[in-house]
């Protein structure tokens, strides 16, 4: 039996930093969505000689991953096995790394969330293990990725409220492929007490986003000047409704009015900036809408 899943990219459509916390983290107010494009993760029966969890990697960005033992996929699998306790059949996990590493798209967090869900099925854990609590210990973005629906998150990023009525949106992701250290960006941030995002509902979604910001964008753009060119390239494409950086960067997104406009924009950016990474994709809609589609 092989179980596989996409680990979607997480895109912060808006991200306000609203305070500094006592635990070394920052309070956020963010609107996040997840895309059809992502890493691919699969779980299959492993070889007992390779240990309980053996992880293999492939794909265009596998070479940018650090030690596989320290990868969130391995850590998530070990934490889940420990929480379950007792004998478990060995597994082989294959991670096809299609999202650029350290790019503000939550790829590592998405991989960890996907592995938790796949292993819970593979090991038939049912409700016995609290995946959300393990996700919270793996990183600030992992609980969001476990939900995988349009959401607003506050606190460290783990006080999550799903957003109803958000349709699938077409977008283009583009990155100059410069890795960014999230911790460093937060440290360099001067204004850590910004106002939260205003009211956001399905009816005024894109308009409300346009009034919001990514408070990390200026800091990252100072370290990675290409960000301005990426945002300008996205914003200048026909049909682009909003262009901004995601997370702590350096990946940026452009929201587009149609699939055709998004595909055409990605094709043009690929030609004009061959050394960037660029993909057109759509976001995962709120559950009721996804069911109705
Ligand atoms: O939790 P994660 O490992 O993804 O976060 C990376 C770093 O980003 C943290 O060590 C912290 O320095 C910073 N961070 C923060 N506030 C958040 C999320 C992340 O300061 N809400």
């Amino acid at each position: 039996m092989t179980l596989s899943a996409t680990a979607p990219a997480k895109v912060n459509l808006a991200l306000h930093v609203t305070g500094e916390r006592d635990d070394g983290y920052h309070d956020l107010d963010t609107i996040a969505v997840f895309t059809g494009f992502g890493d691919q993760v699969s779980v299959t029966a492993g070889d007992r000689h390779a240990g309980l969890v053996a992880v293999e990697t492939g794909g265009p960005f596998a070479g940018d991953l650090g030690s596989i033992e320290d990868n969130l996929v391995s850590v998530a699998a070990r934490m889940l096995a420990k929480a379950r306790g007792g004998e478990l059949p060995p597994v082989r996990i294959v991670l096809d790394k299609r999202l650029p590493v350290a790019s503000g798209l939550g790829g590592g967090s998405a991989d960890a969330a996907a592995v938790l869900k796949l292993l819970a099925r593979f090991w038939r854990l049912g409700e016995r293990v609290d995946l959300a609590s393990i996700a919270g210990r793996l990183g600030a973005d992992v609980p969001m990725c476990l939900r995988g629906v349009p959401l607003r998150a506050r606190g460290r990023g783990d006080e999550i409220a799903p957003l109803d009525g958000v349709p699938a949106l077409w977008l283009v992701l583009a990155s100059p492929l410069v890795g960014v250290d999230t911790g460093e960006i937060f440290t360099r941030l001067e204004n850590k007490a910004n106002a939260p995002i205003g009211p956001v509902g399905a009816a005024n979604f894109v308009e409300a986003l346009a009034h919001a910001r990514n408070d990390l964008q200026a800091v990252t753009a100072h370290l990675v000047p290409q960000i301005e060119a990426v945002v300008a390239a996205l914003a200048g494409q026909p049909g682009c409704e909003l262009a901004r950086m995601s997370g702590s960067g350096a990946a940026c997104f452009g929201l587009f009015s149609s699939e055709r406009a998004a595909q055409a924009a990605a094709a043009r950016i690929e030609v004009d900036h061959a050394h960037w990474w660029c993909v057109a994709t759509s976001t995962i809609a709120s559950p009721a809408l996804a069911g109705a589609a």
Side-chain angles (χ1 to χ4, degrees):
M1 175 174 64
T2 300
L3 297 178
S4 39
T6 298
K10 169 226 64 176
V11 181
N12 300 96
L13 297 178
L15 194 166
H16 289 201
V17 179
T18 55
E20 230 177 329
R21 299 162 58 97
D22 294 339
D23 60 6
Y25 279 74
H26 293 78
D27 278 321
L28 308 178
D29 186 7
T30 184
I31 307 287
V33 290
F34 297 84
T35 68
F37 186 88
D39 294 336
Q40 297 294 317
V41 187
S42 72
V43 170
T44 189
D47 177 352
R48 201 157 285 282
H49 301 295
L52 177 62
V53 177
V55 181
E56 285 168 36
T57 59
F61 294 109
D64 296 337
L65 295 169
S67 136
I68 203 59
E69 286 300 302
D70 298 335
N71 188 284
L72 273 191
V73 162
S74 309
V75 181
R78 289 197 301 264
M79 275 173 73
L80 183 62
K82 195 167 171 216
R84 163 68 168 79
E87 275 280 301
L88 286 165
V91 289
R92 176 170 167 260
I93 300 172
V94 179
L95 169 61
D96 181 4
K97 195 72 199 159
R98 300 180 186 185
L99 293 167
V101 172
S103 65
L105 296 173
S109 303
D111 298 340
V115 155
L116 288 178
K117 286 193 225 174
L118 288 173
L119 283 178
R121 277 170 63 201
F122 193 89
W123 283 332
R124 298 181 198 281
L125 302 187
E127 303 292 307
R128 273 173 289 180
V129 176
D130 181 2
L131 297 187
S133 115
I134 297 175
R137 283 184 278 142
L138 283 164
D141 278 353
V142 187
M144 278 187 236
C145 293
L146 200 60
R147 304 292 278 269
V149 296
L151 56 84
R152 184 166 185 167
R154 296 184 175 87
R156 225 172 63 119
D158 52 3
E159 294 168 23
I160 297 170
L163 289 172
D164 290 332
V166 179
L169 304 164
W170 278 96
L171 49 74
V172 174
L173 301 174
S175 169
L177 293 179
V178 178
V180 172
D181 176 346
T182 304
E184 184 186 357
I185 301 302
F186 276 103
T187 305
R188 285 173 174 260
L189 191 64
E190 278 176 19
N191 190 353
K192 303 182 173 192
N194 300 288
I197 300 169
V200 178
N204 72 339
F205 195 61
V206 177
E207 197 191 327
L209 293 175
H211 287 108
R213 307 172 305 272
N214 180 339
D215 284 332
L216 304 178
Q217 186 169 325
V219 186
T220 307
H222 188 70
L223 292 179
V224 185
Q226 299 97 310
I227 301 266
E228 279 184 26
V230 176
V231 172
L234 288 162
Q237 300 296 327
C240 183
E241 297 176 329
L242 177 74
R244 182 172 284 158
M245 192 181 84
S246 176
S248 55
C252 302
F253 68 87
L255 276 182
F256 283 81
S257 50
S258 69
E259 173 175 8
R260 180 190 283 241
Q263 299 283 9
R268 271 190 299 266
I269 291 172
E270 270 174 10
V271 170
D272 292 348
H273 304 280
H275 50 294
W276 292 356
W277 172 81
C278 185
V279 69
T281 183
S282 64
T283 66
I284 295 162
S286 300
L289 286 171

